[in-house]
Amino acid sequence: MPRSLTALVRVHLTGLRLLLVFTVVCGLAYPLLITGFSQVALSRQANGSQLRQNGQVVGSSLLGQTFNLPNQAGPDPKWFQPRPSAAGTNGYDPTASGASNLGPNDTGLTGTIRNRRAAIAAFDGVPGSQVPPDAVTASGSGLDPQISPAYAYEQVNRVARVRRLDPNTVRQLVRDHVQGRILGFLGEPRVNVVTLNLALARLG
């Protein structure tokens, strides 16, 4: 065999061996190691931060969801309601994450916000001036599960009335679910409406 051909074969065999080694290390060993570590040390996060009720998965603490009457017949007054969502036809569709891309000068957006404010004020039995901004505007992803403490507290009386609970008990439940700023200075205080409603279901 000519020397040049021998060298070429040797180079290709070396490349093939490297390919096999890196395939095993990077494609099999490393993913299995990380998967195993995450399942042992960070099982809840690795499995999507699932929320369970009576042994059944009912949602994720990372994803918002609607709390509507059957057949999407409107918001269910028994539950704390999330902020609006532009993700999908009915909102909170994880396969259609996104915002409306409408700006503050868009007449369609301002009209929608005005209508939302009037509807929420009537639904919760409060003045329109008491409806906070996040109650009428969608998040950038359309999937955020958090609402502001102001919006959560604004819904307390309606939830307590429909469920025939003491408003102070429901208000304390909200207070227990207020999350502070990350590291004490990043972001704003917030309430995860999914975990709040799960606690509300356990309350009765």
Side-chain angles (χ1 to χ4, degrees):
M1 184 181 294
R3 184 177 301 176
S4 59
L5 184 58
T6 303
L8 182 63
V9 171
R10 188 181 302 114
V11 168
H12 280 78
L13 287 176
T14 301
L16 180 59
R17 285 195 293 267
L18 285 173
L19 174 64
L20 292 175
V21 168
F22 280 108
T23 297
V24 171
V25 173
C26 299
L28 294 174
Y30 179 75
L32 288 174
L33 175 65
I34 294 302
T35 300
F37 173 80
S38 63
Q39 289 297 326
V40 172
L42 302 165
S43 177
R44 185 180 68 84
Q45 294 89 337
N47 290 300
S49 300
Q50 296 175 347
L51 298 173
R52 295 178 179 270
Q53 184 179 34
N54 300 324
Q56 299 292 321
V57 176
V58 295
S60 167
S61 62
L62 302 177
L63 294 175
Q65 57 181 273
T66 57
F67 295 89
N68 289 339
L69 294 166
N71 300 319
Q72 300 292 331
D76 192 333
K78 298 193 307 293
W79 302 106
F80 286 92
Q81 293 297 314
R83 64 188 305 176
S85 170
T89 304
N90 297 315
Y92 291 99
D93 181 353
T95 65
S97 174
S100 66
N101 292 325
L102 300 178
N105 295 324
D106 187 282
T107 56
L109 178 62
T110 56
T112 297
I113 288 176
R114 188 163 48 249
N115 293 337
R116 284 174 179 167
R117 179 175 287 110
I120 291 172
F123 184 66
D124 291 333
V126 298
S129 59
Q130 192 174 326
V131 177
D134 64 304
V136 296
T137 55
S139 67
S141 69
L143 303 177
D144 292 343
Q146 290 90 5
I147 59 175
S148 66
Y151 188 28
Y153 285 124
E154 186 246 89
Q155 300 181 65
V156 163
N157 289 334
R158 183 251 301 159
V159 171
R161 182 178 66 254
V162 174
R163 288 180 173 269
R164 298 181 180 180
L165 295 171
D166 183 352
N168 290 327
T169 300
V170 180
R171 190 171 292 106
Q172 182 60 50
L173 189 68
V174 171
R175 190 175 296 116
D176 292 340
H177 282 78
V178 173
Q179 300 170 304
R181 291 180 171 87
I182 300 172
L183 300 178
F185 67 95
L186 295 175
E188 294 293 331
R190 62 213 181 277
V191 176
N192 188 310
V193 73
V194 180
T195 56
L196 175 61
N197 277 335
L198 194 59
L200 181 63
R202 290 193 291 264
L203 188 64

